[in-house]
């Protein structure tokens, strides 16, 4: 059973965190066969932190968890903090394959998305 | 002459700001007829702030500036801070059309981009 764990930074502004929660719900509906569930979690400043998100995936029966850092820049959160949290909790889930993807800003498709948004196409 | 002003948050980590500067350079090469120049600027924590970016566009001869908030969430930076800065400086450039687009996270294409990145497609 495949889970996508969408990791955002987290904000003191509850509406910003709710946006990510809503985004995960929409993604789950669109994910088709790629992912059975899409779970939101936050690096900090929110109720559901990364370990909570992994636990939620595990409880739902995930056998594979794809962790996607929903960040634009490859700052220390992406290069250090998220990998460290994942490395630390992996031993608790020996039967689950956990992999971390590139952050969303690293996608080459982002270039087209920026130009489309800017040109209002 | 059309300019795209790409607004990122800005970071204390110079490499993160440099990523945005590099991104703008790549975008300028790809922009074809939509934009003649692509200029990076930052809301805070960087050398080139939004007024500097607008001035740079104006000096290069821009007659239209499209301001794109390179942010994932619609937090106060997107809903309040960036529009406030733009509104405050517009009177200094009466001959330039300045419009602010949606933030990049609001694009419906972002959903596909997340799923593509997650599925490593």
């Amino acid at each position: 059973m495949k889970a996508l764990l969408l990791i955002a930074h987290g904000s003191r502004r509850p509406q910003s965190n709710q946006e990510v929660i809503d985004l995960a719900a929409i993604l789950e509906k669109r994910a088709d066969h790629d992912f059975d569930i899409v779970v939101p979690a936050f690096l900090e400043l929110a109720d559901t932190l990364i370990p909570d998100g992994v636990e939620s995936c595990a409880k739902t029966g995930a056998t594979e968890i794809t962790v996607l850092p929903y960040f634009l820049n490859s700052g220390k959160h992406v290069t250090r903090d998220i990998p460290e949290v994942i490395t630390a909790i992996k031993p608790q889930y020996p039967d689950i394959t956990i992999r971390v993807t590139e952050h969303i800003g690293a996608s080459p498709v982002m270039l087209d998305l920026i130009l489309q948004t800017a040109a209002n196409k």
Side-chain angles (χ1 to χ4, degrees), chain A:
Chain A
M1 205 266 252
K2 294 180 185 177
L4 171 57
L5 186 61
L6 187 71
I7 308 288
H9 183 279
S11 168
R12 287 187 185 82
R13 187 174 171 269
Q15 303 99 300
S16 291
N17 296 338
Q18 189 60 47
E19 271 187 28
V20 178
I21 294 166
D22 294 344
L23 176 62
I26 296 168
L27 285 169
E28 188 170 281
K29 286 182 189 157
R30 287 175 74 113
D32 291 332
H33 304 298
D34 287 328
F35 300 100
D36 301 292
I37 55 171
V38 179
V39 173
F42 301 88
L43 182 62
E44 58 190 29
L45 305 176
D47 293 333
T48 307
L49 300 181
I50 299 175
D52 304 315
V54 173
E55 190 184 0
S56 171
C57 293
K59 281 189 175 167
T60 314
T63 52
E64 293 179 37
I65 301 176
T66 299
V67 179
L68 190 148
Y70 190 55
F71 287 71
L72 288 173
N73 277 97
S74 67
K76 65 180 171 56
H77 294 323
V78 166
T79 57
R80 190 191 64 191
D81 299 342
I82 295 174
E84 275 184 7
V85 174
I86 296 298
T87 300
I89 57 178
K90 261 186 179 175
Q92 298 175 37
Y93 304 96
D95 299 329
I96 302 179
T97 304
I98 304 179
R99 75 179 179 97
V100 182
T101 73
E102 285 192 311
H103 62 292
I104 194 75
S107 168
V109 181
M110 186 61 82
L111 296 167
D112 295 325
L113 182 52
I114 292 170
L115 291 174
Q116 281 173 22
T117 303
N120 199 20
K121 283 177 181 170

